[in-house]
Amino acid sequence: MQTKTIYVPLLNEGTDVWRPVTAEPIAKAIYRIVSEPTDPDNEEWVYRTGQEVVVEERVFVEGECGLVAVGAAARARLDLTLEEVCIVQNALNEVCNGLHLQDEFETRIGATLVAARTLLERVAGVRR
């Protein structure tokens, strides 16, 4: 997979310090850190190896531009087989179209019917 250099802030430095690290792009503005700390006894990264982070472009004091990690990615990722995707799609289809929950849909499912149908469309798109 293609990698790119992003910058991770360091803790306990007294001023803003950024460590260049290698990361894999996961989605738009989301990267997974693949580098290991080279000196873990002397520097503490805000984000750890393997963590997915949100990045944004920043201009550093020297005038150089780079992508910096600004937060942990809020998305959950699953690796599903096509058979498992089919199970999820069928379950969502039943919840959205087969069960009649009337006014209790959001309470019992934990999402609005619109949100569940949107997710159903996304899951169905995986199988197309």
Side-chain angles (χ1 to χ4, degrees):
M1 178 174 273
Q2 176 186 342
T3 61
K4 187 164 184 153
T5 299
I6 67 169
Y7 296 85
V8 174
L10 300 181
L11 295 171
N12 305 315
E13 295 293 324
T15 186
D16 290 343
V17 177
W18 303 90
R19 168 65 54 216
V21 300
T22 304
E24 301 171 332
I26 301 299
K28 184 178 181 183
I30 298 177
Y31 285 74
R32 178 182 299 114
I33 299 170
V34 296
S35 291
E36 296 284 339
T38 55
D39 194 3
D41 293 334
N42 291 320
E43 64 182 33
E44 186 179 358
W45 296 3
V46 172
Y47 308 105
R48 67 189 182 287
T49 303
Q51 188 169 6
E52 293 181 7
V53 294
V54 176
V55 299
E56 64 183 34
E57 193 165 312
R58 183 156 302 166
V59 178
F60 296 104
V61 174
E62 303 84 24
E64 293 180 44
C65 291
L67 294 175
V68 299
V70 295
R75 304 188 105 193
R77 298 179 48 83
L78 293 174
D79 286 326
L80 301 175
T81 66
L82 286 178
E83 182 180 344
E84 292 167 331
V85 170
C86 186
I87 292 167
V88 171
Q89 182 180 356
N90 289 341
L92 281 167
N93 188 52
E94 274 306 307
V95 166
C96 292
N97 302 309
L99 299 176
H100 301 288
L101 300 175
Q102 285 82 17
D103 297 333
E104 293 186 9
F105 188 93
E106 192 169 350
T107 301
R108 296 182 71 190
I109 302 303
T112 65
L113 180 57
V114 170
R117 285 189 171 146
T118 300
L119 179 57
L120 174 58
E121 285 302 312
R122 288 181 57 209
V123 171
V126 170
R127 295 188 60 213
R128 291 186 190 129

